[in-house]
Coordinates of all heavy atoms in Angstrom, one line a residue:
M1 N 133.5 25.6 -59.4 CA 132.3 26.3 -59.0 C 132.2 26.4 -57.5 O 132.4 25.5 -56.8 CB 131.1 25.6 -59.6 CG 129.8 26.3 -59.3 SD 128.5 25.7 -60.4 CE 127.7 24.6 -59.3
S2 N 131.9 27.6 -57.0 CA 131.9 27.9 -55.6 C 130.4 27.8 -55.1 O 129.5 28.2 -55.7 CB 132.4 29.3 -55.3 OG 132.1 29.7 -54.0
V3 N 130.2 27.1 -53.9 CA 128.9 27.0 -53.3 C 128.7 28.2 -52.4 O 129.5 28.5 -51.6 CB 128.8 25.7 -52.5 CG1 127.5 25.6 -51.8 CG2 129.0 24.5 -53.5
S4 N 127.5 28.8 -52.5 CA 127.2 30.0 -51.7 C 126.7 29.5 -50.3 O 125.9 28.6 -50.2 CB 126.1 30.8 -52.3 OG 125.7 31.8 -51.5
V5 N 127.4 30.0 -49.3 CA 127.1 29.6 -47.9 C 126.5 30.9 -47.2 O 127.2 31.9 -47.2 CB 128.3 29.1 -47.2 CG1 128.0 28.7 -45.7 CG2 128.9 27.9 -47.9
P6 N 125.3 30.8 -46.7 CA 124.8 32.0 -46.0 C 125.5 32.4 -44.8 O 126.1 31.5 -44.1 CB 123.3 31.6 -45.7 CG 123.3 30.1 -45.7 CD 124.4 29.6 -46.6
T7 N 125.5 33.6 -44.5 CA 126.1 34.2 -43.3 C 125.1 34.2 -42.2 O 123.9 34.6 -42.4 CB 126.7 35.6 -43.5 OG1 127.6 35.6 -44.6 CG2 127.3 36.2 -42.3
V8 N 125.5 33.8 -41.0 CA 124.6 33.9 -39.8 C 125.3 34.8 -38.8 O 126.5 34.6 -38.5 CB 124.4 32.4 -39.2 CG1 123.6 32.5 -38.0 CG2 123.8 31.6 -40.3
G9 N 124.6 35.7 -38.2 CA 125.1 36.5 -37.2 C 124.9 36.0 -35.8 O 123.9 35.4 -35.5
V10 N 125.9 36.1 -35.0 CA 125.8 35.6 -33.6 C 126.3 36.7 -32.7 O 127.4 37.3 -32.8 CB 126.7 34.4 -33.3 CG1 126.6 33.9 -31.9 CG2 126.3 33.2 -34.3
K11 N 125.4 37.1 -31.7 CA 125.8 38.1 -30.8 C 126.5 37.5 -29.6 O 125.9 36.5 -29.0 CB 124.6 38.9 -30.3 CG 124.0 39.8 -31.4 CD 122.8 40.5 -30.9 CE 122.2 41.3 -32.1 NZ 121.1 42.2 -31.7
I12 N 127.7 37.9 -29.2 CA 128.4 37.4 -28.0 C 128.9 38.6 -27.2 O 129.1 39.7 -27.8 CB 129.6 36.5 -28.4 CG1 130.6 37.2 -29.3 CG2 129.1 35.2 -29.0 CD1 131.8 36.4 -29.6
D13 N 128.9 38.4 -25.9 CA 129.3 39.5 -25.1 C 130.8 39.8 -25.2 O 131.6 38.9 -25.7 CB 129.0 39.3 -23.6 CG 129.7 38.1 -23.0 OD1 130.9 38.2 -22.8 OD2 129.0 37.0 -22.8
P14 N 131.3 41.0 -24.8 CA 132.7 41.4 -25.0 C 133.7 40.4 -24.4 O 134.8 40.1 -24.9 CB 132.8 42.8 -24.4 CG 131.4 43.3 -24.4 CD 130.5 42.1 -24.3
V15 N 133.4 39.9 -23.2 CA 134.3 38.9 -22.6 C 134.4 37.7 -23.4 O 135.6 37.2 -23.6 CB 133.8 38.6 -21.1 CG1 134.6 37.5 -20.5 CG2 133.8 39.9 -20.3
M16 N 133.3 37.1 -23.9 CA 133.4 35.9 -24.7 C 134.2 36.2 -26.0 O 134.9 35.4 -26.5 CB 132.0 35.4 -25.1 CG 132.0 34.2 -25.9 SD 132.9 32.8 -25.2 CE 131.8 32.3 -23.9
K17 N 134.0 37.4 -26.6 CA 134.7 37.8 -27.8 C 136.2 37.8 -27.5 O 137.0 37.3 -28.3 CB 134.2 39.1 -28.3 CG 134.9 39.6 -29.6 CD 134.3 40.9 -30.1 CE 135.0 41.2 -31.4 NZ 134.5 42.5 -31.9
Q18 N 136.6 38.3 -26.4 CA 138.1 38.3 -26.0 C 138.6 36.9 -25.9 O 139.7 36.6 -26.3 CB 138.3 39.1 -24.8 CG 138.1 40.6 -25.0 CD 138.3 41.4 -23.7 OE1 138.2 40.8 -22.6 NE2 138.5 42.7 -23.8
R19 N 137.8 36.1 -25.2 CA 138.2 34.7 -25.0 C 138.4 34.0 -26.3 O 139.3 33.2 -26.6 CB 137.2 33.9 -24.1 CG 137.2 34.4 -22.7 CD 136.0 33.8 -21.9 NE 136.1 32.3 -21.9 CZ 135.1 31.6 -21.5 NH1 133.9 32.1 -21.2 NH2 135.2 30.3 -21.5
L20 N 137.4 34.2 -27.2 CA 137.4 33.6 -28.5 C 138.7 34.1 -29.3 O 139.4 33.2 -29.9 CB 136.2 34.0 -29.3 CG 136.0 33.5 -30.7 CD1 136.1 32.0 -30.8 CD2 134.8 34.1 -31.3
Q21 N 139.0 35.3 -29.3 CA 140.1 35.9 -30.0 C 141.4 35.3 -29.4 O 142.4 34.9 -30.1 CB 140.1 37.4 -29.9 CG 139.1 38.0 -30.8 CD 138.9 39.5 -30.6 OE1 139.2 40.0 -29.5 NE2 138.4 40.2 -31.6
R22 N 141.5 35.2 -28.1 CA 142.7 34.6 -27.5 C 142.9 33.1 -27.9 O 144.0 32.7 -28.2 CB 142.7 34.7 -25.9 CG 143.0 36.0 -25.4 CD 143.3 36.0 -23.9 NE 142.2 35.5 -23.1 CZ 141.2 36.3 -22.6 NH1 141.2 37.6 -22.8 NH2 140.2 35.8 -21.9
L23 N 141.8 32.4 -27.9 CA 141.9 31.0 -28.2 C 142.3 30.8 -29.7 O 143.1 30.0 -30.1 CB 140.6 30.3 -28.0 CG 140.5 28.8 -28.3 CD1 141.5 28.0 -27.5 CD2 139.1 28.3 -28.1
A24 N 141.7 31.6 -30.6 CA 142.0 31.6 -32.0 C 143.5 31.9 -32.2 O 144.2 31.2 -33.0 CB 141.1 32.6 -32.8
K25 N 144.0 32.9 -31.5 CA 145.4 33.3 -31.7 C 146.3 32.1 -31.2 O 147.3 31.8 -31.9 CB 145.7 34.5 -30.9 CG 147.1 35.0 -31.0 CD 147.3 36.4 -30.3 CE 148.7 36.9 -30.5 NZ 149.0 38.1 -29.8
A26 N 146.0 31.5 -30.1 CA 146.7 30.4 -29.5 C 146.7 29.2 -30.5 O 147.7 28.5 -30.6 CB 146.2 30.0 -28.2
R27 N 145.6 29.0 -31.2 CA 145.5 27.9 -32.1 C 146.0 28.2 -33.5 O 145.9 27.4 -34.4 CB 144.0 27.4 -32.2 CG 143.5 26.9 -30.9 CD 143.9 25.5 -30.6 NE 143.2 24.9 -29.6 CZ 143.5 24.9 -28.3 NH1 144.7 25.4 -27.9 NH2 142.8 24.3 -27.4
K28 N 146.4 29.5 -33.7 CA 146.8 30.0 -35.0 C 145.7 29.8 -36.0 O 145.9 29.3 -37.2 CB 148.1 29.3 -35.5 CG 149.3 29.7 -34.6 CD 150.5 29.0 -35.1 CE 151.8 29.4 -34.4 NZ 151.8 29.6 -33.0
R29 N 144.5 30.1 -35.6 CA 143.3 30.0 -36.4 C 142.6 31.4 -36.4 O 142.9 32.2 -35.5 CB 142.3 28.9 -35.9 CG 142.9 27.6 -36.0 CD 143.0 27.1 -37.4 NE 143.4 25.7 -37.5 CZ 143.2 25.0 -38.6 NH1 142.7 25.5 -39.6 NH2 143.6 23.7 -38.6
T30 N 141.5 31.5 -37.2 CA 140.7 32.7 -37.1 C 139.6 32.5 -36.1 O 139.2 31.3 -35.8 CB 140.1 33.1 -38.4 OG1 139.2 32.0 -38.8 CG2 141.2 33.3 -39.5
P31 N 139.1 33.6 -35.5 CA 137.9 33.4 -34.6 C 136.7 32.7 -35.4 O 136.0 31.9 -34.8 CB 137.5 34.8 -34.2 CG 138.8 35.6 -34.3 CD 139.6 35.0 -35.5
H32 N 136.6 33.0 -36.7 CA 135.6 32.4 -37.5 C 135.7 30.9 -37.5 O 134.8 30.2 -37.4 CB 135.6 33.0 -38.9 CG 134.7 32.4 -39.9 ND1 135.0 31.4 -40.8 CD2 133.3 32.6 -40.0 CE1 134.0 31.1 -41.5 NE2 132.9 31.8 -41.0
W33 N 137.0 30.4 -37.7 CA 137.2 29.0 -37.8 C 136.9 28.4 -36.4 O 136.3 27.3 -36.4 CB 138.7 28.7 -38.1 CG 139.0 27.3 -38.3 CD1 139.0 26.6 -39.4 CD2 139.3 26.4 -37.2 NE1 139.3 25.2 -39.2 CE2 139.5 25.1 -37.8 CE3 139.5 26.5 -35.9 CZ2 139.8 23.9 -37.1 CZ3 139.9 25.3 -35.1 CH2 140.0 24.1 -35.8
V34 N 137.3 29.0 -35.3 CA 137.0 28.4 -34.0 C 135.5 28.3 -33.8 O 135.0 27.3 -33.3 CB 137.7 29.3 -32.9 CG1 137.2 28.8 -31.5 CG2 139.2 29.2 -33.0
M35 N 134.7 29.4 -34.2 CA 133.3 29.3 -34.0 C 132.6 28.2 -34.8 O 131.8 27.5 -34.3 CB 132.7 30.7 -34.3 CG 133.0 31.8 -33.3 SD 132.1 33.3 -33.6 CE 133.0 33.9 -35.0
R36 N 133.1 28.1 -36.1 CA 132.5 27.0 -36.9 C 132.8 25.7 -36.4 O 132.0 24.8 -36.4 CB 133.1 27.2 -38.4 CG 132.4 28.3 -39.1 CD 132.9 28.4 -40.5 NE 132.8 27.0 -41.1 CZ 132.6 26.8 -42.4 NH1 132.4 27.8 -43.2 NH2 132.5 25.6 -42.9
E37 N 134.1 25.5 -35.9 CA 134.5 24.2 -35.3 C 133.6 23.9 -34.1 O 133.2 22.8 -33.9 CB 135.9 24.2 -35.0 CG 136.5 22.9 -34.4 CD 136.5 21.8 -35.4 OE1 136.4 22.0 -36.6 OE2 136.7 20.6 -35.0
A38 N 133.4 24.9 -33.2 CA 132.7 24.7 -32.0 C 131.2 24.4 -32.3 O 130.6 23.5 -31.7 CB 132.7 26.0 -31.1
I39 N 130.6 25.0 -33.3 CA 129.2 24.7 -33.7 C 129.2 23.3 -34.3 O 128.2 22.6 -33.9 CB 128.7 25.8 -34.7 CG1 128.6 27.1 -34.0 CG2 127.4 25.3 -35.3 CD1 128.4 28.3 -34.9
E40 N 130.1 23.0 -35.1 CA 130.1 21.6 -35.7 C 130.2 20.5 -34.6 O 129.4 19.6 -34.6 CB 131.3 21.5 -36.6 CG 131.5 20.1 -37.2 CD 130.4 19.6 -38.1 OE1 129.8 20.5 -38.8 OE2 130.1 18.4 -38.2
Q41 N 131.1 20.7 -33.7 CA 131.2 19.7 -32.6 C 130.0 19.7 -31.7 O 129.5 18.6 -31.3 CB 132.5 20.0 -31.7 CG 133.7 19.7 -32.5 CD 135.0 20.0 -31.6 OE1 134.9 20.0 -30.4 NE2 136.1 20.2 -32.3
Y42 N 129.4 20.8 -31.4 CA 128.2 20.9 -30.6 C 127.0 20.2 -31.2 O 126.4 19.3 -30.6 CB 127.8 22.3 -30.2 CG 126.5 22.4 -29.5 CD1 126.5 22.3 -28.1 CD2 125.3 22.7 -30.1 CE1 125.3 22.3 -27.4 CE2 124.2 22.8 -29.5 CZ 124.1 22.6 -28.1 OH 122.9 22.7 -27.4
V43 N 126.8 20.5 -32.5 CA 125.7 19.9 -33.2 C 125.8 18.4 -33.4 O 124.9 17.6 -33.2 CB 125.5 20.6 -34.6 CG1 124.4 19.9 -35.5 CG2 125.0 22.1 -34.4
T44 N 127.0 18.0 -33.7 CA 127.3 16.5 -33.8 C 127.0 15.8 -32.5 O 126.4 14.8 -32.4 CB 128.8 16.3 -34.3 OG1 128.9 16.9 -35.6 CG2 129.1 14.8 -34.3
R45 N 127.5 16.4 -31.4 CA 127.3 15.8 -30.1 C 125.8 15.8 -29.7 O 125.3 14.8 -29.2 CB 128.1 16.6 -29.0 CG 127.9 16.0 -27.6 CD 128.6 16.8 -26.5 NE 127.8 18.1 -26.3 CZ 128.4 19.3 -26.3 NH1 129.7 19.5 -26.5 NH2 127.6 20.3 -26.1
E46 N 125.1 16.8 -30.0 CA 123.7 16.9 -29.6 C 122.9 16.0 -30.5 O 121.9 15.4 -30.1 CB 123.2 18.3 -29.7 CG 123.8 19.2 -28.6 CD 123.5 18.7 -27.2 OE1 122.3 18.3 -26.9 OE2 124.4 18.6 -26.4
E47 N 123.3 15.8 -31.8 CA 122.6 14.8 -32.6 C 122.7 13.4 -32.1 O 121.8 12.6 -32.1 CB 123.1 14.9 -34.1 CG 122.7 16.1 -34.8 CD 123.4 16.3 -36.2 OE1 124.5 15.7 -36.4 OE2 122.9 17.0 -37.0
K48 N 123.9 13.1 -31.6 CA 124.2 11.8 -31.0 C 123.3 11.6 -29.8 O 122.8 10.6 -29.5 CB 125.6 11.6 -30.8 CG 126.5 11.4 -32.0 CD 127.9 11.2 -31.7 CE 128.8 11.1 -32.9 NZ 130.2 11.0 -32.7
R49 N 123.3 12.7 -29.0 CA 122.5 12.6 -27.7 C 121.0 12.4 -28.0 O 120.3 11.6 -27.4 CB 122.7 13.9 -26.9 CG 122.0 13.9 -25.6 CD 122.3 15.2 -24.8 NE 123.7 15.1 -24.3 CZ 124.4 16.1 -23.8 NH1 123.9 17.3 -23.8 NH2 125.6 15.9 -23.4
E50 N 120.5 13.1 -29.0 CA 119.1 13.0 -29.4 C 118.8 11.6 -29.9 O 117.8 11.0 -29.6 CB 118.7 14.0 -30.4 CG 117.3 14.0 -30.9 CD 116.3 14.1 -29.7 OE1 116.6 14.8 -28.7 OE2 115.2 13.6 -29.8
A51 N 119.8 11.0 -30.7 CA 119.6 9.6 -31.2 C 119.5 8.7 -30.1 O 118.7 7.7 -30.1 CB 120.7 9.3 -32.2
L52 N 120.4 8.8 -29.1 CA 120.4 8.0 -27.9 C 119.1 8.1 -27.2 O 118.5 7.1 -26.8 CB 121.6 8.3 -27.0 CG 121.6 7.5 -25.7 CD1 121.7 6.0 -25.9 CD2 122.8 8.0 -24.8
H53 N 118.6 9.3 -27.0 CA 117.3 9.6 -26.3 C 116.2 8.8 -27.1 O 115.4 8.2 -26.4 CB 117.1 11.1 -26.3 CG 115.8 11.4 -25.6 ND1 115.6 11.3 -24.3 CD2 114.6 11.8 -26.1 CE1 114.4 11.7 -23.9 NE2 113.7 12.0 -25.1
Q54 N 116.2 8.9 -28.4 CA 115.2 8.2 -29.2 C 115.3 6.7 -29.0 O 114.3 6.0 -28.9 CB 115.2 8.6 -30.6 CG 114.9 10.1 -30.9 CD 113.5 10.4 -30.4 OE1 112.5 9.7 -30.5 NE2 113.4 11.6 -29.7
D55 N 116.5 6.2 -29.0 CA 116.7 4.7 -28.7 C 116.2 4.3 -27.4 O 115.6 3.2 -27.2 CB 118.2 4.4 -28.8 CG 118.7 4.4 -30.3 OD1 117.9 4.5 -31.2 OD2 120.0 4.4 -30.4
V56 N 116.4 5.1 -26.4 CA 115.9 4.8 -25.0 C 114.4 4.8 -25.0 O 113.8 3.9 -24.4 CB 116.5 5.8 -24.0 CG1 115.8 5.7 -22.7 CG2 118.0 5.6 -23.8
L57 N 113.8 5.8 -25.6 CA 112.3 5.8 -25.7 C 111.8 4.6 -26.4 O 110.8 4.0 -25.9 CB 111.8 7.1 -26.4 CG 112.1 8.4 -25.6 CD1 111.6 9.6 -26.4 CD2 111.4 8.4 -24.3
Q58 N 112.4 4.2 -27.5 CA 112.0 3.0 -28.2 C 112.2 1.7 -27.4 O 111.3 0.9 -27.3 CB 112.8 2.9 -29.5 CG 112.3 1.7 -30.4 CD 113.1 1.6 -31.7 OE1 113.8 2.5 -32.0 NE2 112.9 0.5 -32.4
A59 N 113.3 1.6 -26.7 CA 113.5 0.5 -25.8 C 112.5 0.4 -24.7 O 112.0 -0.7 -24.3 CB 114.9 0.5 -25.2
W60 N 112.2 1.6 -24.1 CA 111.2 1.6 -23.0 C 109.8 1.2 -23.6 O 109.1 0.4 -22.9 CB 111.1 3.0 -22.4 CG 110.1 3.0 -21.3 CD1 108.8 3.7 -21.3 CD2 110.1 2.4 -20.0 NE1 108.2 3.5 -20.2 CE2 109.0 2.7 -19.3 CE3 111.1 1.6 -19.4 CZ2 108.7 2.3 -18.0 CZ3 110.9 1.2 -18.1 CH2 109.7 1.5 -17.5
Q61 N 109.5 1.6 -24.8 CA 108.2 1.3 -25.4 C 108.1 -0.3 -25.6 O 107.1 -0.9 -25.3 CB 108.0 2.0 -26.7 CG 106.6 1.7 -27.3 CD 106.4 2.5 -28.6 OE1 107.2 3.4 -29.0 NE2 105.3 2.3 -29.3
E62 N 109.3 -0.8 -26.1 CA 109.3 -2.3 -26.3 C 109.1 -3.0 -25.0 O 108.4 -4.0 -24.9 CB 110.7 -2.7 -27.0 CG 110.8 -2.4 -28.4 CD 112.1 -2.8 -29.0 OE1 112.7 -3.8 -28.5 OE2 112.6 -2.1 -29.9
Y63 N 109.8 -2.5 -23.9 CA 109.6 -3.2 -22.6 C 108.2 -3.1 -22.2 O 107.7 -4.1 -21.7 CB 110.6 -2.5 -21.6 CG 110.2 -2.9 -20.2 CD1 110.6 -4.2 -19.8 CD2 109.6 -2.1 -19.3 CE1 110.2 -4.6 -18.5 CE2 109.2 -2.5 -18.0 CZ 109.6 -3.8 -17.6 OH 109.2 -4.2 -16.4
E64 N 107.6 -2.0 -22.3 CA 106.2 -1.8 -21.9 C 105.3 -2.8 -22.6 O 104.3 -3.3 -22.1 CB 105.7 -0.4 -22.0 CG 106.3 0.5 -21.0 CD 105.7 1.9 -21.1 OE1 105.5 2.5 -22.2 OE2 105.4 2.5 -20.0
E65 N 105.6 -3.0 -23.9 CA 104.7 -3.9 -24.8 C 105.0 -5.3 -24.5 O 104.0 -6.1 -24.5 CB 105.0 -3.6 -26.2 CG 104.5 -2.2 -26.7 CD 104.9 -1.8 -28.1 OE1 105.6 -2.6 -28.8 OE2 104.5 -0.7 -28.5
T66 N 106.2 -5.7 -24.2 CA 106.6 -7.2 -24.1 C 106.9 -7.6 -22.7 O 106.8 -8.8 -22.4 CB 107.8 -7.5 -25.0 OG1 109.0 -6.8 -24.5 CG2 107.6 -7.1 -26.4
G67 N 107.4 -6.7 -21.9 CA 107.8 -7.1 -20.5 C 109.2 -7.8 -20.5 O 109.7 -8.1 -19.4
L68 N 109.8 -8.0 -21.7 CA 111.1 -8.6 -21.7 C 112.2 -7.7 -21.2 O 112.2 -6.5 -21.5 CB 111.4 -9.1 -23.2 CG 110.5 -10.1 -23.8 CD1 110.8 -10.4 -25.2 CD2 110.5 -11.4 -23.0
H69 N 113.1 -8.3 -20.4 CA 114.1 -7.5 -19.8 C 115.3 -8.5 -19.3 O 115.1 -9.7 -19.3 CB 113.6 -6.8 -18.6 CG 113.2 -7.7 -17.5 ND1 112.0 -8.4 -17.5 CD2 113.8 -8.0 -16.3 CE1 111.9 -9.1 -16.4 NE2 113.0 -8.9 -15.6
V70 N 116.4 -7.8 -18.9 CA 117.5 -8.5 -18.2 C 117.7 -7.7 -17.0 O 117.6 -6.5 -17.0 CB 118.8 -8.4 -19.1 CG1 120.0 -9.0 -18.4 CG2 118.6 -9.2 -20.4
T71 N 117.9 -8.4 -15.9 CA 118.0 -7.7 -14.6 C 119.4 -7.1 -14.5 O 120.3 -7.5 -15.3 CB 117.9 -8.7 -13.4 OG1 119.0 -9.6 -13.4 CG2 116.6 -9.4 -13.4
G72 N 119.6 -6.1 -13.7 CA 120.9 -5.5 -13.5 C 121.9 -6.5 -13.0 O 123.1 -6.4 -13.5
D73 N 121.6 -7.4 -12.2 CA 122.5 -8.4 -11.7 C 123.0 -9.3 -12.9 O 124.2 -9.7 -13.0 CB 121.9 -9.3 -10.6 CG 121.8 -8.5 -9.3 OD1 122.5 -7.5 -9.1 OD2 121.0 -9.0 -8.4
E74 N 122.0 -9.7 -13.7 CA 122.4 -10.5 -14.9 C 123.3 -9.7 -15.8 O 124.3 -10.3 -16.3 CB 121.1 -10.9 -15.7 CG 120.2 -11.9 -14.9 CD 118.8 -12.0 -15.5 OE1 118.4 -11.0 -16.2 OE2 118.3 -13.1 -15.4
A75 N 123.0 -8.5 -16.1 CA 123.9 -7.7 -16.9 C 125.3 -7.5 -16.3 O 126.3 -7.7 -17.0 CB 123.3 -6.3 -17.2
I76 N 125.4 -7.2 -15.0 CA 126.7 -7.1 -14.4 C 127.5 -8.4 -14.4 O 128.7 -8.3 -14.7 CB 126.5 -6.6 -12.9 CG1 126.0 -5.1 -13.0 CG2 127.8 -6.7 -12.2 CD1 125.6 -4.6 -11.6
A77 N 126.8 -9.5 -14.2 CA 127.5 -10.8 -14.2 C 128.1 -11.0 -15.6 O 129.2 -11.5 -15.7 CB 126.6 -11.9 -13.8
W78 N 127.4 -10.7 -16.6 CA 127.8 -10.8 -18.0 C 129.0 -9.9 -18.3 O 130.0 -10.3 -18.8 CB 126.7 -10.6 -18.9 CG 127.0 -10.5 -20.4 CD1 127.8 -11.4 -21.1 CD2 126.7 -9.4 -21.3 NE1 127.9 -10.9 -22.4 CE2 127.3 -9.7 -22.5 CE3 126.0 -8.2 -21.1 CZ2 127.1 -8.8 -23.6 CZ3 125.9 -7.4 -22.2 CH2 126.4 -7.7 -23.5
L79 N 128.8 -8.6 -17.9 CA 129.9 -7.6 -18.2 C 131.2 -7.9 -17.5 O 132.3 -7.6 -18.0 CB 129.4 -6.2 -17.8 CG 128.2 -5.6 -18.7 CD1 127.7 -4.4 -18.1 CD2 128.7 -5.4 -20.1
E80 N 131.1 -8.5 -16.3 CA 132.3 -8.8 -15.6 C 133.1 -9.9 -16.2 O 134.3 -10.1 -15.9 CB 131.9 -9.2 -14.1 CG 131.5 -8.1 -13.3 CD 131.1 -8.5 -11.9 OE1 130.8 -9.7 -11.6 OE2 131.0 -7.6 -11.0
T81 N 132.6 -10.6 -17.2 CA 133.3 -11.7 -17.9 C 134.0 -11.1 -19.2 O 134.8 -11.8 -19.8 CB 132.4 -12.8 -18.3 OG1 131.5 -12.4 -19.3 CG2 131.7 -13.4 -17.1
W82 N 133.7 -9.9 -19.6 CA 134.2 -9.3 -20.8 C 135.8 -9.3 -20.7 O 136.3 -8.9 -19.6 CB 133.7 -7.9 -21.0 CG 132.3 -7.8 -21.6 CD1 131.4 -8.8 -21.6 CD2 131.7 -6.7 -22.2 NE1 130.3 -8.4 -22.2 CE2 130.4 -7.1 -22.6 CE3 132.1 -5.4 -22.5 CZ2 129.5 -6.2 -23.2 CZ3 131.3 -4.5 -23.1 CH2 130.0 -5.0 -23.5
G83 N 136.4 -9.7 -21.7 CA 137.9 -9.6 -21.8 C 138.6 -10.7 -21.0 O 139.8 -10.7 -20.9
T84 N 137.8 -11.7 -20.6 CA 138.4 -12.8 -19.8 C 138.3 -14.1 -20.7 O 137.6 -14.1 -21.7 CB 137.7 -13.1 -18.5 OG1 136.4 -13.6 -18.8 CG2 137.6 -11.8 -17.6
D85 N 139.0 -15.1 -20.3 CA 138.9 -16.4 -21.1 C 137.5 -17.0 -20.9 O 137.1 -17.7 -21.8 CB 140.0 -17.4 -20.5 CG 141.4 -16.9 -20.9 OD1 141.6 -16.2 -21.9 OD2 142.3 -17.3 -20.2
G86 N 136.8 -16.7 -19.9 CA 135.5 -17.2 -19.6 C 134.4 -16.3 -20.0 O 133.3 -16.3 -19.5
E87 N 134.7 -15.4 -21.1 CA 133.6 -14.5 -21.5 C 132.4 -15.2 -21.9 O 132.4 -16.1 -22.7 CB 134.2 -13.6 -22.6 CG 133.3 -12.4 -23.0 CD 133.9 -11.5 -24.0 OE1 135.1 -11.1 -23.8 OE2 133.3 -11.1 -24.9
K88 N 131.2 -14.7 -21.3 CA 129.9 -15.3 -21.6 C 129.2 -14.6 -22.6 O 129.5 -13.4 -22.9 CB 129.1 -15.3 -20.3 CG 129.7 -16.1 -19.2 CD 128.9 -16.1 -17.9 CE 129.5 -16.9 -16.8 NZ 128.8 -16.7 -15.5
E89 N 128.2 -15.2 -23.2 CA 127.3 -14.6 -24.1 C 126.3 -13.7 -23.4 O 126.1 -13.9 -22.2 CB 126.5 -15.7 -24.9 CG 127.4 -16.4 -25.9 CD 126.5 -17.3 -26.9 OE1 125.3 -17.0 -27.1 OE2 127.1 -18.3 -27.3
A90 N 125.7 -12.8 -24.1 CA 124.8 -11.9 -23.4 C 123.6 -12.7 -22.9 O 123.2 -13.7 -23.5 CB 124.2 -10.9 -24.5
P91 N 123.1 -12.3 -21.7 CA 122.0 -13.0 -21.1 C 120.7 -12.9 -22.0 O 120.6 -11.8 -22.7 CB 121.8 -12.4 -19.7 CG 122.5 -11.1 -19.8 CD 123.5 -11.2 -20.9
K92 N 119.9 -13.8 -22.0 CA 118.6 -13.8 -22.7 C 117.6 -13.0 -22.0 O 117.5 -13.0 -20.8 CB 118.1 -15.2 -22.9 CG 119.0 -16.2 -23.6 CD 119.2 -15.8 -25.1 CE 120.1 -16.8 -25.8 NZ 121.1 -16.2 -26.7
C93 N 116.8 -12.2 -22.7 CA 115.7 -11.5 -22.1 C 114.6 -12.4 -21.7 O 114.4 -13.5 -22.3 CB 115.2 -10.5 -23.2 SG 116.3 -9.1 -23.6
H94 N 114.0 -12.0 -20.6 CA 112.9 -12.8 -20.1 C 111.8 -11.9 -19.5 O 112.0 -10.7 -19.3 CB 113.4 -13.8 -19.0 CG 114.2 -13.1 -17.9 ND1 113.6 -12.5 -16.9 CD2 115.5 -13.0 -17.8 CE1 114.5 -12.0 -16.1 NE2 115.7 -12.3 -16.6
A95 N 110.6 -12.4 -19.3 CA 109.5 -11.6 -18.8 C 109.6 -11.6 -17.3 O 110.2 -12.3 -16.6 CB 108.2 -12.2 -19.2

């Protein structure tokens, strides 16, 4: 059984169309495949970016509510031990 996928029209200028056709030919793909792949990668990247943005907003809200934090110097001192024999545990948050 085949799933019906709606068609979406996208207007692109003639120069972009030529670039798309050249790239598709070089990749031995259709322009349609290249456009779908580009859209998939873009949407995936932007979803991750939006999730990160929401995480940052939540972290800021938690900081405003509790005042708990780690200083930049504390974080750098910890990160500098990564991958060494003396690797330290993450610093504890404090007010």
Side-chain angles (χ1 to χ4, degrees):
M1 184 163 100
S2 167
V3 177
S4 176
V5 178
T7 299
V8 176
V10 177
K11 293 181 181 182
I12 57 175
D13 63 71
V15 173
M16 180 58 69
K17 183 177 180 181
Q18 289 176 342
R19 291 172 60 196
L20 176 62
Q21 289 171 334
R22 280 194 302 269
L23 181 60
K25 185 176 180 181
R27 298 282 193 263
K28 295 182 175 38
R29 297 288 187 165
T30 64
H32 176 259
W33 184 93
V34 173
M35 287 187 288
R36 285 182 51 147
E37 183 69 15
I39 292 168
E40 174 68 31
Q41 289 181 22
Y42 175 82
V43 170
T44 298
R45 182 184 71 231
E46 292 303 311
E47 286 171 338
K48 289 177 183 177
R49 183 176 287 165
E50 182 57 29
L52 175 61
H53 180 72
Q54 293 304 315
D55 288 348
V56 167
L57 291 176
Q58 182 179 351
W60 180 252
Q61 183 176 356
E62 284 180 33
Y63 168 72
E64 286 185 320
E65 291 171 1
T66 67
L68 295 176
H69 67 283
V70 174
T71 67
D73 289 340
E74 291 167 333
I76 290 169
W78 169 55
L79 292 172
E80 287 177 341
T81 69
W82 281 18
T84 69
D85 291 336
E87 189 171 313
K88 297 179 182 176
E89 289 189 27
K92 302 290 183 222
C93 290
H94 53 83

